[in-house]
């Protein structure tokens, strides 16, 4: 007997659930109940939606619907409290999601106790097509886009595993995991809307990072509900940027900055520029001076990340004092700059390290590169 097709309820918005319930001859409030069960109660099966009459649950099941979020297949715990989750998707692909609590470290060295806020780093694709030379995820090539349900599902899986009470606990989201969110734009934006409207995480506590997919930056500026914007700049001039981020051939620094200058920032909002420091390549004071010039006039802040090393990554990590000198140059020129503390390096959970646990596949380049 062939299995009936499976339709995921997770990822549907209220409007879509309304049309589903009405097509089954059900009143509109049933859609609300399903929404509540999926996104607030974090139910893991259709059967568990106890607000629905048994008959309706059975009907949905017969029609091939299922509910629930991805199951953590593995969980790697760092000494700094970071947890890297390997989540299993319906088609046996896996995706990684990272939990980064801030708080008091436990004496046993097995995590953070009494965390006061926490950040979840969310993936948008399985693998990545952008091929940045310093990033491990790039080695996988692109396997596929995640659906909106799979993007939201990562957050729900981690919230559930960490027993988060969304109304009480302070949760930030960064769309900075595997993949390029702006190459999976529709699903990414749909997931954001569900996370804001149904899960209940404020958009002001979300940040999306892009390698610089310029047309989508313009689209993103028109969204009513949107996270804050971060740009992976990583180089101070086009030659250098093209060398380490081939996507710069398609959209160079000038095109990128044009889009950012036109970006409608909200009250007190700044654009974040991320800059991975590669020893001896882009970490001189001359480079810092060039970046200061580039961002002049843009309400910006700079996040500096010393390279997180990985197998096959042909660059080195600069010494702390070199990173500090680079940072000081920004501060002296009135540009706020922060050094990002690496989280979970010991479990390969830090920036650019996701997917270490998976086999390497042939890198398929996107046609635009
Ligand atoms: N594709 C998006 C989202 C991934 S964000 C983007 O490029 O912005 C990942 C962040 O980690 C980026 O700012 C990237 O520059 C940084 N990063 C990638 N590899 C890294 C590494 N090996 N060490 C430190 N940071 C890295």
């Amino acid at each position: 007997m062939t299995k009936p097709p499976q339709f995921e309820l997770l990822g549907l918005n209220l409007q879509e659930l309304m049309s589903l319930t009405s097509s089954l001859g059900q009143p509109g409030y049933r859609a609300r109940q399903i929404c509540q069960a999926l996104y607030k109660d974090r139910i893991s099966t259709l059967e568990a939606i106890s607000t629905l009459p048994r008959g309706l649950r059975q009907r949905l099941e017969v029609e091939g619907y299922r509910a629930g979020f991805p199951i953590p297949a593995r969980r790697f715990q760092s000494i700094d409290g970071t947890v890297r989750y390997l989540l299993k998707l319906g088609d046996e692909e896996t995706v990684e999601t990272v939990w980064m609590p801030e708080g008091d470290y436990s004496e046993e060295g097995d995590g953070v106790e009494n965390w006061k806020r926490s950040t979840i780093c969310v993936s948008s694709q399985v693998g990545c097509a952008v091929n940045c030379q310093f990033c491990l995820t790039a080695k996988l090539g692109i396997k596929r886009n995640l659906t909106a349900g799979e993007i939201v599902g990562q957050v729900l899986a981690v919230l559930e595993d960490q027993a988060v009470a969304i109304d009480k606990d302070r949760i930030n989201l960064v769309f900075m995991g595997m993949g390029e969110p702006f190459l999976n734009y529709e699903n990414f934006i749909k997931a954001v809307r569900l996370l804001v409207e149904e899960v209940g995480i404020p958009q002001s506590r979300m940040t999306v990072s892009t390698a610089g997919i310029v047309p989508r930056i313009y689209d993103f500026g028109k969204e009513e509900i949107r996270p804050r914007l971060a740009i992976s700049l990583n180089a101070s001039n086009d030659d250098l940027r093209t060398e380490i981020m081939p996507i710069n051939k398609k959209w160079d620094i000038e095109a990128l900055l044009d889009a950012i200058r036109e970006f409608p920032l909200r009250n007190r909002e700044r654009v974040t520029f991320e800059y991975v420091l590669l020893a001896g390549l882009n970490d001189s004071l001359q480079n810092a001076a060039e970046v200061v010039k580039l961002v002049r006039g843009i309400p910006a802040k700079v996040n500096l990340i010393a390279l997180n090393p990985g197998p096959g990554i042909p660059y080195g990590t600069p010494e702390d004092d070199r990173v500090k000198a680079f940072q000081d140059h920004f501060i002296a020129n009135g540009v706020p700059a922060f050094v990002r503390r690496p989280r979970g390096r010991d479990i390969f959970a830090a920036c650019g390290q996701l997917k270490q646990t998976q086999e390497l596949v042939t890198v398929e380049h996107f046609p635009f590169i």
Side-chain angles (χ1 to χ4, degrees):
M1 211 178 79
T2 53
K3 252 174 77 186
Q6 297 279 292
F7 303 115
E8 296 290 341
L9 290 176
L10 195 72
L12 300 184
N13 58 30
L14 183 60
Q15 203 185 350
E16 290 164 332
L17 288 167
M18 291 268 194
S19 27
L20 171 61
T21 46
S22 85
S23 76
L24 299 175
Q26 294 287 323
Y29 65 85
R30 295 288 179 217
R32 247 284 127 236
Q33 288 172 321
I34 298 175
C35 242
Q36 164 83 25
L38 291 173
Y39 300 109
K40 284 270 199 287
D41 303 341
R42 308 193 294 243
I43 51 92
S44 52
T45 60
L46 197 52
E47 187 48 36
I49 312 182
S50 54
T51 46
L52 298 185
R54 175 137 311 184
L56 178 54
R57 281 179 265 173
Q58 281 164 352
R59 175 81 196 278
L60 284 166
E61 189 150 354
V62 169
E63 300 281 334
Y65 285 93
R66 60 175 302 285
F69 42 80
I71 320 274
R74 296 200 62 185
R75 208 174 170 284
F76 303 86
Q77 171 87 51
S78 163
I79 48 164
D80 71 9
T82 300
V83 181
R84 177 164 64 94
Y85 290 90
L86 194 66
L87 302 176
K88 196 172 232 143
L89 306 174
D91 60 355
E92 300 296 304
E93 290 288 2
T94 54
V95 75
E96 301 194 4
T97 312
V98 184
W99 166 258
M100 295 173 284
E102 299 283 348
D104 309 322
Y105 291 99
S106 111
E107 303 253 314
E108 287 79 40
D110 61 354
V112 172
E113 287 171 343
N114 305 320
W115 54 270
K116 294 173 184 67
R117 66 193 157 97
S118 189
T119 300
I120 301 175
C121 180
V122 182
S123 294
S124 54
Q125 298 180 306
V126 182
C128 188
V130 180
N131 204 22
C132 300
Q133 298 298 299
F134 45 82
C135 180
L136 268 189
T137 306
K139 306 260 180 213
L140 292 171
I142 178 75
K143 291 192 172 179
R144 69 169 175 85
N145 280 337
L146 294 176
T147 63
E150 288 167 338
I151 297 173
V152 175
Q154 293 171 61
V155 177
L156 296 179
V158 175
L159 293 177
E160 191 60 18
D161 193 65
Q162 296 288 341
V164 171
I166 207 71
D167 301 332
K168 285 199 268 135
D169 298 326
R170 195 184 162 106
I171 297 297
N172 301 305
L173 297 185
V174 293
F175 296 92
M176 301 189 185
M178 294 167 58
E180 169 49 54
F182 282 10
L183 289 178
N184 184 18
Y185 188 80
E186 292 304 324
N187 291 337
F188 155 71
I189 281 290
K190 187 176 185 196
V192 164
R193 292 191 190 125
L194 289 168
L195 287 161
V196 172
E197 292 176 338
E198 304 301 342
V199 179
I201 301 175
Q203 54 181 319
S204 58
R205 296 208 190 131
M206 300 180 182
T207 304
V208 62
S209 176
T210 178
I213 313 298
V214 167
R216 295 293 85 74
I217 296 176
Y218 288 101
D219 294 340
F220 187 62
K222 298 188 194 113
E223 300 291 346
E224 233 162 80
I225 295 181
R226 64 158 177 83
R228 295 167 184 273
L229 178 64
I231 303 286
S232 292
L233 182 64
N234 299 329
S236 61
N237 59 60
D238 278 321
D239 283 349
L240 201 50
R241 194 163 193 269
T242 301
E243 182 184 333
I244 60 177
M245 298 179 70
I247 198 169
N248 197 64
K249 281 185 250 169
K250 177 91 180 172
W251 294 289
D252 65 10
I253 294 180
E254 199 43 47
L256 188 55
L257 292 179
D258 279 346
I260 295 163
R261 278 187 287 261
E262 282 193 31
F263 190 77
L265 288 170
R266 295 175 179 158
N267 197 22
R268 299 168 59 90
E269 189 182 0
R270 287 172 186 269
V271 172
T272 301
F273 287 95
E274 294 153 292
Y275 196 99
V276 183
L277 289 157
L278 310 169
L281 190 71
N282 68 355
D283 64 342
S284 72
L285 292 184
Q286 170 66 28
N287 294 123
E290 287 177 6
V291 176
V292 167
K293 249 191 176 159
L294 290 178
V295 304
R296 187 158 290 153
I298 299 173
K301 70 170 189 171
V302 175
N303 271 350
L304 303 171
I305 321 164
L307 177 78
N308 294 310
I313 301 297
Y315 307 109
T317 307
E319 302 293 336
D320 288 353
D321 53 355
R322 190 137 169 120
V323 175
K324 178 79 173 59
F326 199 88
Q327 177 190 22
D328 287 346
H329 189 86
F330 286 95
I331 295 170
N333 284 278
V335 180
F338 305 86
V339 177
R340 268 218 231 150
R341 183 164 55 94
R343 297 292 308 259
R345 262 193 197 167
D346 57 334
I347 53 163
F348 272 89
C351 297
Q353 294 189 312
L354 296 185
K355 213 58 178 180
Q356 165 65 5
T357 45
Q358 293 295 299
E359 78 289 355
L360 300 185
V361 300
T362 335
V363 177
E364 293 169 39
H365 298 279
F366 247 32
F368 60 71
I369 293 176

